[in-house]
Amino acid sequence: MSIALTPWPPALAEQYRRKGYWTDVPMTDILTRHQDERADHRALVCGERSWTYRQLEQDAEQLAASLLQLGVKSGDTALVHLPNVAEFYIVFFALMKVGVVPVNALFSHNRHELTAYAEQIQPTLAIVSSRHSLFTDGAFAQALSQQVPSLRHWLVDGDAEFGDSLAAAIAGTQAERAQLNQTDEALNWPVLSAAEVAFFQLSGGSTGTPKLIPRTHNDYYYSVRASADICQLDSDTVFLCALPAPHNFTLSSPGALGVFYAGGAVVLAAEPSPMTCFPLIKRHQVTMTSLVPPAVTLWLQAAADDRSALDSLQWLQVGGARLGESLARRIEPELGCRLQQVFGMAEGLVNYTRFDDSEWHVLNTQGRPISDDDEVRIVDEDGQDVPRGTPGALLTRGPYTFRGYYNSPEHNRVAFDQDGFYRSGDVVVMTEDGYLMVVGRDKDQINRGGEKVAAEEIENQLLALPEITQAALVAMPDDVMGEKSCAFIVTTNPKLKTLSIRKHLRTCGIADYKLPDRIEKVDALPMTHVGKIDKKALRQLIANQLQAQSQPQPEKDVLS
Ligand code: AMP
Ligand code: DBH
């Protein structure tokens, strides 16, 4: 059984194949293509452990064989929840080999998100880490298995009192390894179709439940190859993966998959702080990494003291949230590496500034699309195209932009126009020469320094408290994060404490980054003339309030 997918119209699919974007080669090729000349080249570094391309392929193959033995089969789905560890990639390729389609949840995701994903995909298998507080014991695993009865197998990275050991499944027995080395025929590898779903990407979303994005081998592999090409990756590239590994940016823009495709090396960092990353850059002679703007601020601060660790770094990619021009301008002189802006989305379209672009383009734009066949429209409120230089809503379709969220017919009707263009929810300007500048947003989302929070998801949780009768989550400006979140609430209980609201949200098991940074109690929420909550007015209200607070207070009269 294959995973349901909203297909591209046959004429477009034919065009994408004819132009060589879709090659009908599954993404398992990213590793297998290196098994001759580059088999002994370093592929992956995680702490004190490292893998050559041969070792990485063998580990993925052994895990795939162990999974088949467990009884999972092509067309099944899996819930994966791992931190930035080598096993993330071993699992990624192993699942692909057996045709099991995963959701790779972020490690910051918690009970609420994992449950929502599992309910949507009905996985047979979960692969998790005992390093996460949810899995230090088996209680949540047991509860989720009860709630989602398809979930029969648990593989755990690290010591755990439930499930099977992921390490053992990757290692296999000696006899199994020997058999794998001899022949592939003994194993019943499924035949993969590159037109099918390889995995689900996560949407930052704007709806009550997080939506899933089916990505096919054909479309994703094209974006990976083209990105590797644009970023001029080769076997000398050493990429530091410091943002979460499952994120579309670090996975494919060009990310770890782009680097593997090009035969370079991926070095894993647990998180993007300078304290963690600078020593890794120095030790492994990292040439390229990708960051969100708040991390750039931290790197600039740290580099002011000592930037000698960054000598090998040639390229810094920045994306996920708007990079201000003044921050952008400091990168090359203060970090000693070149900047590439990346504006992408897990749904598809990715834009890059190019290496030979003018300084103005690199500092002021978020780049231009990967492909000549990325169709971009910028429209006004009536859906009419606006002239270049005028802000409008971004619509796009193309060879690696999806055509529908998984099992979400109602939402898809609003997320796409009648011609299959995806409404990204970004307000952008296109320059005369085709570069995009992100100037705003028309989706109900807070972009917290690259981490996306869907307002409705949090509002629903707030409204679950009987004392809260109305709730609205909006963005408020923040110097470092760009935006933080502020929840305006109307409550029947004047004594309701912010602390107990936070406690409630934590009990709901929501990821920490989604918790409102500030909670404001108000008597009533402003309404628009059509009777919707006026979020623009609320954003203005909180921005004014913050500004007033940041003004120096008038000095007290010494005589009073
Ligand atoms: P997601 O749908 O969660 O993958 O998030 C993609 C969204 O992140 C885009 O639609 C933009 O709103 C935002 N985004 C990504 N990169 C940039 C960037 N370089 N500048 C501004 N916004 C960005
Ligand atoms: O924010 C994103 O989702 C993003 C940023 C940069 C992305 O998906 C990408 C590049 O591919």
Side-chain angles (χ1 to χ4, degrees):
M1 246 216 1
S2 55
I3 299 297
L5 171 75
T6 314
W8 283 258
L12 279 179
E14 193 273 326
Q15 179 184 326
Y16 298 153
R17 286 198 168 86
R18 186 164 34 83
K19 293 200 170 178
Y21 305 143
W22 292 4
T23 54
D24 287 309
V25 175
M27 279 196 284
T28 44
D29 178 63
I30 291 174
L31 290 187
T32 52
R33 69 196 296 270
H34 297 304
Q35 295 310 306
D36 296 328
E37 311 94 81
R38 260 194 291 269
D40 294 313
H41 191 289
R42 180 177 65 158
L44 183 59
V45 178
C46 176
E48 297 306 314
R49 304 177 299 158
S50 75
W51 282 255
T52 63
Y53 276 92
R54 188 196 316 281
Q55 290 164 334
L56 190 54
E57 170 65 11
Q58 282 175 345
D59 278 2
E61 215 169 54
Q62 180 55 56
L63 177 58
S66 302
L67 291 174
L68 286 181
Q69 267 178 10
L70 261 186
V72 302
K73 54 187 192 317
S74 178
D76 284 354
T77 58
L79 178 67
V80 177
H81 189 226
L82 294 173
N84 280 13
V85 288
E87 283 71 13
F88 174 80
Y89 301 110
I90 298 171
V91 165
F92 186 82
F93 284 105
L95 291 175
M96 240 163 7
K97 279 179 189 295
V98 290
V100 172
V101 177
V103 166
N104 300 306
L106 301 180
F107 206 56
S108 53
H109 283 155
N110 213 313
R111 213 175 57 230
H112 167 77
E113 290 81 14
L114 298 192
T115 307
Y117 295 140
E119 282 180 341
Q120 288 184 64
I121 64 166
Q122 300 285 313
T124 23
L125 169 72
I127 303 184
V128 301
S129 165
S130 62
R131 277 201 227 163
H132 198 283
S133 58
L134 267 184
F135 298 112
T136 44
D137 63 30
F140 176 64
Q142 197 182 6
L144 194 61
S145 298
Q146 263 161 18
Q147 201 167 337
V148 181
S150 59
L151 196 40
R152 289 190 301 275
H153 307 289
W154 287 83
L155 287 182
V156 186
D157 189 29
D159 295 329
E161 46 188 69
F162 68 101
D164 295 329
S165 154
L166 177 64
I170 293 173
T173 61
Q174 244 175 11
E176 283 168 347
R177 281 268 171 170
Q179 192 189 6
L180 265 189
N181 285 340
Q182 270 169 15
T183 168
D184 269 1
E185 276 143 39
L187 284 155
N188 228 347
W189 296 120
V191 181
L192 298 173
S193 160
E196 295 202 352
V197 181
F199 73 111
F200 292 103
Q201 190 50 280
L202 308 174
S203 163
S206 54
T207 54
T209 28
K211 297 272 182 281
L212 294 170
I213 304 160
R215 300 293 307 250
T216 65
H217 292 271
N218 269 337
D219 86 76
Y220 210 68
Y221 199 4
Y222 167 56
S223 81
V224 167
R225 292 192 313 270
S227 295
D229 199 33
I230 288 169
C231 301
Q232 299 174 10
L233 306 187
D234 58 26
S235 54
D236 293 331
T237 303
V238 183
F239 171 66
L240 185 76
C241 175
L243 297 175
H247 196 288
N248 205 54
F249 189 10
T250 37
L251 193 61
S252 68
S253 301
L257 294 186
V259 174
F260 290 144
Y261 170 75
V266 174
V267 176
L268 280 160
E271 44 80 35
S273 75
M275 210 168 68
T276 302
C277 292
F278 284 19
L280 287 171
I281 293 174
K282 186 170 181 163
R283 175 168 173 200
H284 300 292
Q285 293 293 290
V286 166
T287 61
M288 179 182 96
T289 191
S290 41
L291 293 179
V292 289
V296 174
T297 304
L298 297 179
W299 282 42
L300 286 167
Q301 279 163 6
D305 292 337
D306 180 11
R307 75 171 216 210
S308 60
L310 305 184
D311 285 350
S312 59
L313 195 64
Q314 295 164 13
W315 287 102
L316 176 63
Q317 296 184 305
V318 183
R322 176 73 199 254
L323 176 68
E325 201 250 358
S326 53
L327 201 57
R329 192 172 282 286
R330 293 174 55 193
I331 289 175
E332 299 203 5
E334 295 181 37
L335 297 180
C337 59
R338 289 183 63 194
L339 163 68
Q340 179 177 43
Q341 296 216 35
V342 192
F343 161 39
M345 52 201 77
E347 285 82 356
L349 182 72
V350 180
N351 304 275
Y352 294 99
T353 56
R354 304 302 204 263
F355 290 174
D356 52 3
D357 277 346
S358 75
E359 187 187 34
W360 184 88
H361 286 85
V362 173
L363 296 180
N364 293 283
T365 81
Q366 279 65 59
R368 63 180 164 85
I370 288 181
S371 178
D372 290 342
D373 284 76
D374 280 319
E375 298 175 71
V376 169
R377 289 184 59 202
I378 301 173
V379 301
D380 63 18
E381 279 169 9
D382 301 322
Q384 301 300 314
D385 294 284
V386 299
R388 294 210 172 182
T390 307
L394 173 66
L395 305 187
T396 185
R397 65 178 188 187
Y400 60 96
T401 294
F402 83 139
R403 307 287 297 206
Y405 291 102
Y406 183 60
N407 277 348
S408 310
E410 272 171 40
H411 183 57
N412 287 337
R413 274 193 281 279
V414 289
F416 292 83
D417 78 359
Q418 70 282 5
D419 299 317
F421 278 77
Y422 166 62
R423 301 178 208 275
S424 88
D426 295 302
V427 176
V428 301
V429 168
M430 187 180 275
T431 61
E432 285 300 332
D433 55 358
Y435 282 68
L436 297 176
M437 296 161 81
V438 184
V439 296
R441 190 163 58 230
D442 64 2
K443 55 186 162 189
D444 203 2
Q445 183 184 78
I446 292 97
N447 188 338
R448 208 175 167 278
E451 291 183 311
K452 320 298 182 327
V453 185
E456 191 185 332
E457 193 179 6
I458 305 311
E459 289 159 4
N460 286 347
Q461 302 296 334
L462 288 167
L463 290 168
L465 275 181
E467 300 139 292
I468 295 183
T469 52
Q470 288 191 75
L473 193 77
V474 298
M476 60 181 184
D478 182 81
D479 283 348
V480 175
M481 302 294 278
E483 291 174 8
K484 281 187 171 178
S485 64
C486 175
F488 283 92
I489 57 156
V490 178
T491 171
T492 50
N493 174 6
K495 293 205 185 108
L496 182 63
K497 293 245 172 0
T498 308
L499 205 66
S500 48
I501 301 176
R502 284 185 183 287
K503 215 166 133 195
H504 156 75
L505 291 175
R506 277 188 202 282
T507 342
C508 296
I510 298 177
D512 274 356
Y513 70 88
K514 297 182 184 173
L515 295 175
D517 293 291
R518 186 172 171 131
I519 299 175
E520 291 283 313
K521 284 194 255 178
V522 285
D523 293 336
L525 294 179
M527 292 292 179
T528 64
H529 59 277
V530 291
K532 285 196 346 195
I533 295 173
D534 189 349
K535 291 205 161 173
K536 205 169 151 198
L538 289 173
R539 280 193 293 270
Q540 196 58 53
L541 185 70
I542 188 66
N544 292 347
Q545 214 164 308
L546 289 175
Q547 185 153 32
Q549 280 172 2
S550 69
Q551 303 292 330
Q553 299 295 312
E555 277 184 35
K556 279 206 177 139
D557 189 337
V558 282
L559 295 177
S560 62

